[in-house]
Every structure is written in C-alpha cells, then in structure tokens.
Amino acid sequence: MSADFEIQLSLRALDLVNSSGLQKCSNPYATVHIFDPYGETSVAQTVGSTEMINNSSSPKWTKVFYLDWSFGEAVHVNVEVYDKMERGSDLLMGSCDFEIGEIVTSKGGCKAKVMKGGGGTISAHVEKNRSSEAKFYLQLRAVGLTNVTTEIFRLSASFFTISRKHTESPSNIEDIWIVVYRSGFIAGNLSPMWKKIKLSLSALCDSDKDRSLMIEVFHLKRNSEHIFIGKSETSVNNLLALRNPIGNADNDLSLKLLKDGTEVGYIDVLEANVVESSGRRSGPQRIDSRISTIETPIINPIGDPTFLNYLSGGCELKLCIGIDFTASNGNPNSKKSLHHINKDGSLNEYEKAIQAVGSILIKYDSDQKVPVRGFGIKQNKTTLNSFQIGARKVYGVDGILSAYRDALQKDLKMVKSR
C-alpha cells in the first residue's frame, strides 16, 4: 500500500524518574522503533534516536522522525527512553507503544501515555510533513539578561531554544509547542551573542512564515534542571522585520524577554534571511541567490485541507457495521458457511473481516460505541433489510463480535439474495 502522507513525529517526556542518583539528574534520550504487534515480523525496525538532553526530567527533544502513513493502515511505534551514562551501558528508564492512527485522531494530533517499567509520561505529536528546500539563517544576541545563578561571582551560562506552535491544536486545549532547535551555551555573559545557525524552513515552521514561534532562554545547570530565564513569541516574518546587524541600543526593534509578565532582557536579531530554492525540479537543484525580505509576497503554504488536517482538528467519525445474513452465505450449521461458528474458537470469515476492518476504523470513532445492523432474514413472513443486532450500540470490536455471535445463536431464516 502506497503512503497517503509523510508525517512528522515529535516526542517529549514529563516527570521522568531520576535514575542517576541523588547528586545528579538524568540525561535522557529516546529511541523509536516500528514493530508488528501480531508477530508476523519478528524484528522491529529501528527508526532512530533523539538527541540527549542534559539534566532534565521533562525533556523536549528537537529530533523529528519522518514516517509514511496511510489511512486504514496500522503503524505501531515503540518508544524507549534511556539515561545516558558516562560509564557502562545506558539505563532503560521506561517505554511505551503508540499506534499512529490513535495519535492522529487525538485532540491536536497529540497523545500522552504513562511509560511501562518506569515513572513518567511520553507525549507523541504528529503533523503532516510539508517539504521545502528553503533555509532560514538566523543569529541572535541577548541584551541585559537577568542573572539567575545563585553562585557568588558567577554570571548565567545561557542557551536558547526555538519551538513552533502546533497549528492543529483545538481552541479548547492548551497550546502545544514543539522544540525544533536548541543552541549551545555561552557562560559568564549576560549579553551573549550566539553563533549563526541554518535551519530548514520546513522543520522550523512548516514553511509558514507567519506560524507562531517561541524563543526561550535558559541558564545551564550541570547537575540539575536548567533554570528558565524568559521567553518571547515571534514568527519568521517578524524576525525578518526585526533584522538589524548592529543591534538596537534603545531596544525599539528588539524582542522583549518576559517571565511572568516581567521584562527580563531583550533579544536582538542580528541576522535573519530566508534563502528560497529555485523551484526547478529537473536536473540538479539550484539555490536562488536572492534573499527574501519582509516585502516578499506571502503565499499560503498550507493549501487545501487534507484528511489528516480534519482528524487532527477534531473531526469525529462514527463507525456503523452492517452484516449480510442472506442465504448466499450458506447455512451457519455447515462448515462451508461463511457464518459457521468454529468450535475450536478460530474466527470465521465474517469475524476475520470484522476484526481486520473494525480494529483499524474503531480508533477514529470518538466514543467507540457502534450500532450493528443486519439484513437478509425473514421474520413473520416479512423480509428485513435492516434489523438491530444486540444492544442499540455495542462497545468496541469485542462488542461487535459478541453481538454477531449472539445473533447466530438464534433461528435466523435467511432469504435468498436477488
């Protein structure tokens, strides 16, 4: 089956149990595997690993995993979290399993699970990948940061992160920010100038220059949680507009860093440029030497909404099952019948179809309460083309199978199909 989408899978953890002892904090990283829960493929496929985050019990990894996904095809992902050790083997902190369909249908395309074998929660976030060849060049400098270190005669060792806002987040849940970049740190300076960086515009903001970005500045702690200094919300277009190679002495064009509503410093945008690709598909890809500016026309990169957009945005589907009881299926008492209930417990052809199709579609049903109808029987000399099987609604695939089997225990008079 060809994939309908290439999706981006991002991970974060919350409240991991420290496995490094009392004097240190864990250095967690995650590995991702695709596996077959039914055992048809014994070896799991390793997709890759995130970067290691020093001294964190709630890491937000920047690594993004790209997976092929099609509606109706189950993709099972195993996430394992390890504590990176200086000596010896890394320690397994816990693991959990996700099915991509259940993440896609969760509010905002996000799903959280408690890890097995250890404390803490893993959150998985899914978005459709929109590839772009454009690159974003950026250099930032902080000005007048608040010194948050408690050590005498020392100044903060600061680094920054850039997170993009998860655009599919419904209005009734808290905003979700996905970290896409983490800088190196600069010690002993309350006005650090970080190195120039190059980022994929697709990875940074899904090629949407107006998409909200969050810049957060932290003080690096060697053996404990990093200390939050301040944050500022912006966008690529805003950064382009604030670009000033010499900085801003009066802070009129700087980003204000805020903590609990209080200014704790500023961010100067020393460089912000987008280098667009030529768009030429044939032959070697060429880079247009022209640099975009704020006057560049903004073209909406989202395009027409996809099925994934609808699901992530909260669109709910309802599953309804219809079962054919016409005589063409054969007498259920005959082993040749598609409706024959096997005494050894193995599934008949209808049960196999319900299991295979229902297990996929049920994930997209918000309450998993399913009406089950049948057709093709005669009752009181009247042919019934739609009759209720079991309760008005049954729960899940097991409920569907149970209602179907109960119906076959009755003396059904099947009619011939025309």
Side-chain angles (χ1 to χ4, degrees):
M1 181 185 295
S2 60
D4 294 335
F5 305 103
E6 183 180 57
I7 59 170
Q8 299 177 172
L9 173 66
S10 304
L11 300 170
R12 61 184 295 182
L14 181 67
D15 297 332
L16 298 178
V17 175
N18 184 24
S19 59
S20 293
L22 297 177
Q23 302 300 318
K24 293 185 178 181
C25 191
S26 295
N27 303 317
Y29 68 93
T31 62
V32 175
H33 311 271
I34 295 177
F35 71 99
D36 179 6
Y38 306 109
E40 295 181 7
T41 303
S42 58
V43 179
Q45 174 190 347
T46 300
V47 179
S49 299
T50 67
E51 75 280 12
M52 177 192 70
I53 304 295
N54 286 314
N55 309 319
S56 179
S57 61
S58 297
K60 300 176 182 179
W61 293 290
T62 63
K63 172 71 175 182
V64 175
F65 301 94
Y66 297 92
L67 305 173
D68 290 332
W69 178 78
S70 298
F71 173 69
E73 182 178 7
V75 178
H76 295 269
V77 173
N78 169 255
V79 179
E80 295 179 326
V81 179
Y82 290 87
D83 184 4
K84 184 70 175 178
M85 308 304 292
E86 294 180 0
R87 298 183 181 86
S89 300
D90 298 339
L91 296 180
L92 178 64
M93 302 178 72
S95 67
C96 58
D97 298 335
F98 295 93
E99 200 282 305
I100 295 298
E102 69 178 350
I103 306 175
V104 169
T105 55
S106 298
K107 293 293 185 182
C110 305
K111 183 76 173 179
K113 288 188 176 183
V114 176
M115 290 201 305
K116 298 177 291 186
T121 303
I122 295 292
S123 292
H125 312 273
V126 162
E127 292 182 274
K128 181 177 181 291
N129 180 38
R130 302 180 182 93
S131 60
S132 169
E133 297 297 328
K135 302 298 180 184
F136 184 54
Y137 293 84
L138 180 68
Q139 186 173 25
L140 301 178
R141 178 178 65 194
V143 178
L145 294 179
T146 298
N147 188 22
V148 297
T149 182
T150 57
E151 300 178 51
I152 301 175
F153 305 123
R154 285 184 178 271
L155 300 178
S156 297
S158 53
F159 67 94
F160 72 91
T161 64
I162 303 177
S163 303
R164 70 169 186 264
K165 191 174 184 179
H166 190 50
T167 56
E168 311 294 353
S169 302
S171 58
N172 61 336
I173 66 173
E174 185 179 354
D175 288 338
I176 298 167
W177 297 90
I178 300 172
V179 179
V180 294
Y181 177 77
R182 182 177 290 102
S183 76
F185 73 92
I186 297 178
N189 193 336
L190 297 182
S191 295
M193 183 169 65
W194 291 286
K195 292 181 179 180
K196 177 180 173 180
I197 58 175
K198 179 177 74 172
L199 302 170
S200 161
L201 197 65
S202 176
L204 176 64
C205 60
D206 235 4
S207 302
D208 178 2
K209 296 176 187 176
D210 288 315
R211 186 171 184 171
S212 293
L213 302 174
M214 186 71 76
I215 297 176
E216 296 177 286
V217 180
F218 297 85
H219 166 55
L220 179 75
K221 293 284 285 184
R222 292 291 185 182
N223 296 316
S224 61
E225 292 282 339
H226 306 309
I227 299 176
F228 172 68
I229 296 178
K231 64 182 179 180
S232 182
E233 188 170 344
T234 185
S235 67
V236 168
N237 270 332
N238 189 40
L239 292 170
L240 291 171
L242 295 177
R243 175 177 176 266
N244 188 339
I246 62 173
N248 300 283
D250 55 0
N251 300 317
D252 57 331
L253 291 177
S254 298
L255 292 171
K256 292 182 180 180
L257 282 175
L258 301 176
K259 181 179 181 181
D260 300 326
T262 302
E263 292 183 10
V264 292
Y266 298 88
I267 293 288
D268 281 342
V269 184
L270 301 182
E271 181 170 351
N273 291 310
V274 175
V275 179
E276 304 279 5
S277 66
S278 65
R280 183 173 179 173
R281 294 293 180 181
S282 59
Q285 292 293 309
R286 298 184 301 176
I287 302 298
D288 195 331
S289 61
R290 292 171 296 177
I291 302 298
S292 70
T293 67
I294 194 62
E295 289 79 21
T296 301
I298 301 172
I299 300 175
N300 179 17
I302 303 301
D304 294 331
T306 66
F307 182 59
L308 185 61
N309 295 136
Y310 283 113
L311 291 178
S312 298
C315 178
E316 296 182 355
L317 305 182
K318 292 295 181 183
L319 175 62
C320 179
I321 297 290
I323 301 176
D324 179 3
F325 285 100
T326 58
S328 60
N329 292 285
N331 188 328
N333 294 321
S334 169
K335 292 185 178 180
K336 295 181 179 180
S337 170
L338 299 179
H339 284 305
H340 180 69
I341 300 298
N342 299 308
K343 294 181 180 180
D344 62 1
S346 59
L347 303 181
N348 66 27
E349 295 305 312
Y350 271 90
E351 290 172 316
K352 290 177 182 177
I354 292 171
Q355 181 77 53
V357 177
S359 62
I360 295 293
L361 297 181
I362 198 69
K363 298 183 180 72
Y364 304 93
D365 191 310
S366 57
D367 61 8
Q368 299 194 13
K369 295 178 179 178
V370 183
V372 184
R373 310 290 294 182
F375 64 92
I377 68 169
K378 184 169 287 189
Q379 191 176 74
N380 299 326
K381 298 183 180 181
T382 301
T383 298
L384 301 181
N385 291 319
S386 179
F387 63 94
Q388 182 175 305
I389 297 177
R392 191 172 68 87
K393 288 186 178 181
V394 300
Y395 184 78
V397 175
D398 289 341
I400 300 170
L401 291 172
S402 178
Y404 167 69
R405 290 164 185 157
D406 289 344
L408 288 176
Q409 300 303 316
K410 301 175 182 179
D411 184 20
L412 300 178
K413 293 181 171 55
M414 299 180 174
V415 299
K416 293 182 179 180
S417 57
R418 295 180 180 179

